[in-house]
Amino acid sequence: MITSTMTLEEIAKELLIDFREVYDRWNKFGGKFRRMSLNQIRFPWFWNNTIKTKRFNNWNIIFSAWSKKETKIVDPIFVVSFHYNGGTWTASLLKDLVLFFPLHFFERYKERFLKFNLEDLQISNKDIRDVFYALNNRIFIYKREREDSIRGFCYNGMILGDWIGENCGIVKTFISIEEMKVNQFAEYFDCLKNRLILDMYRCRKGIEMMYNSELVDCIPDTYFEYEEMNKFLWNLENRLLTVTHRKCIDYYSLKFLI
């Protein structure tokens, strides 16, 4: 159980142990959840459920899909909220890695992506956190052995922070696409294209793979063409991702082709 006296490293260790139960319970529920997905009529579909583990930690399972087709290729995010250093933090797991998100991160996300200041609209911090996790069900972190600090990408932009332990780090701030430097955008655009390619393969073949997997050699060359990506996005019916991809192409044309 997470307590107020724990350090972040101790909390990370607690969550990594606790997640074994969460993952097992989710796998048992997987068949029912897939049937639930197929029966949905209205999209986008946002699903949020809470489970309490034997270690007395409350986990939020957040799932979002913009179309029935997308339910085949997206996975839920597992998030825990806890009190630390006088405020509410959240932690999410990426395989064997724990990412901590303080309130400051969500304030920057609100200002830089949601495009309004804290005084402009009365919206709770919990709502902001839910929006971020619902719209960013994919987060990619560069491998730690290649980076001194956290550098990662999500659908809405770039995340930056610091490693504080072997399997954990604090994500401190958010940068929108418009705010990225040229080299940051180039990396972001590559990550986005790679994610689309892998999603195409999973959607059409039913097989999930990592981009550095040997199975990448099995991907047809047509998957790497922009026309094929646009066709996939159109059929996927994810409006937010389509807008993001279009924004990236326009930004790329402005920065690299002029």
Side-chain angles (χ1 to χ4, degrees):
M1 179 179 179
I2 298 176
T3 65
S4 59
T5 60
M6 284 183 170
T7 65
L8 290 178
E9 292 91 338
E10 290 172 335
I11 293 174
K13 183 178 179 180
E14 166 77 9
L15 294 179
L16 287 169
I17 295 173
D18 203 36
F19 186 67
R20 298 169 188 170
E21 178 188 341
V22 176
Y23 187 76
D24 288 341
R25 290 172 66 175
W26 174 255
N27 277 342
K28 292 178 181 178
F29 183 67
K32 182 177 180 179
F33 184 77
R34 283 190 291 273
R35 292 191 295 272
M36 186 190 308
S37 302
L38 292 174
N39 291 330
Q40 292 303 309
I41 299 175
R42 294 183 178 180
F43 286 89
W45 177 40
F46 301 101
W47 184 81
N48 192 331
N49 194 28
T50 301
I51 63 172
K52 189 172 186 177
T53 62
K54 296 177 181 178
R55 300 175 72 92
F56 299 102
N57 295 310
N58 291 317
W59 290 76
N60 287 332
I61 305 175
I62 302 172
F63 182 88
S64 60
W66 289 75
S67 69
K68 193 178 293 290
K69 295 178 182 178
E70 196 175 28
T71 60
K72 301 178 181 179
I73 60 173
V74 296
D75 300 301
I77 295 179
F78 300 90
V79 179
V80 174
S81 297
F82 60 96
H83 291 285
Y84 179 79
N85 199 25
T88 300
W89 290 43
T90 62
S92 62
L93 271 75
L94 299 180
K95 295 186 177 178
D96 58 348
L97 176 66
V98 179
L99 295 180
F100 293 112
F101 293 81
L103 176 60
H104 176 78
F105 170 84
F106 294 104
E107 290 175 347
R108 292 294 172 265
Y109 176 71
K110 183 177 181 181
E111 295 169 358
R112 295 172 176 175
F113 181 78
L114 300 181
K115 301 300 183 183
F116 49 78
N117 295 321
L118 296 177
E119 300 82 8
D120 293 339
L121 183 64
Q122 294 298 320
I123 180 173
S124 70
N125 293 325
K126 181 182 182 303
D127 288 338
I128 298 173
R129 294 194 297 266
D130 289 346
V131 168
F132 172 78
Y133 288 117
L135 298 185
N136 295 279
N137 49 21
R138 302 290 177 79
I139 298 177
F140 174 82
I141 301 293
Y142 273 85
K143 292 183 179 179
R144 183 174 181 182
E145 57 266 24
R146 289 163 33 188
E147 300 291 329
D148 295 329
S149 57
I150 293 178
R151 185 162 56 98
F153 303 91
C154 56
Y155 282 155
N156 295 160
M158 186 175 185
I159 59 177
L160 300 171
D162 294 322
W163 298 110
I164 60 172
E166 185 66 27
N167 296 308
C168 60
I170 303 175
V171 181
K172 294 184 173 181
T173 194
F174 171 87
I175 300 176
S176 66
I177 295 174
E178 293 83 358
E179 296 169 310
M180 292 179 189
K181 299 177 181 178
V182 172
N183 63 315
Q184 292 173 332
F185 173 77
E187 292 176 334
Y188 174 81
F189 197 23
D190 282 341
C191 287
L192 180 62
K193 289 186 293 183
N194 293 342
R195 184 68 261 168
L196 290 177
I197 291 168
L198 297 183
D199 283 349
M200 275 193 280
Y201 194 85
R202 184 178 177 183
C203 190
R204 296 172 180 176
K205 306 294 184 180
I207 301 175
E208 184 176 9
M209 68 170 74
M210 299 298 293
Y211 194 77
N212 58 356
S213 169
E214 294 179 359
L215 289 176
V216 170
D217 295 333
C218 302
I219 297 178
D221 292 339
T222 55
Y223 280 43
F224 296 83
E225 299 174 358
Y226 284 115
E227 291 184 1
E228 193 69 14
M229 292 183 192
N230 289 330
K231 179 181 177 182
F232 171 70
L233 282 173
W234 179 264
N235 291 329
L236 193 62
E237 298 177 350
N238 184 322
R239 297 189 298 276
L240 179 64
L241 188 53
T242 300
V243 170
T244 300
H245 189 245
R246 184 69 258 172
K247 183 189 300 183
C248 284
I249 293 176
D250 293 341
Y251 190 91
Y252 180 85
S253 300
L254 179 64
K255 294 292 184 179
F256 293 89
L257 299 183
I258 292 179

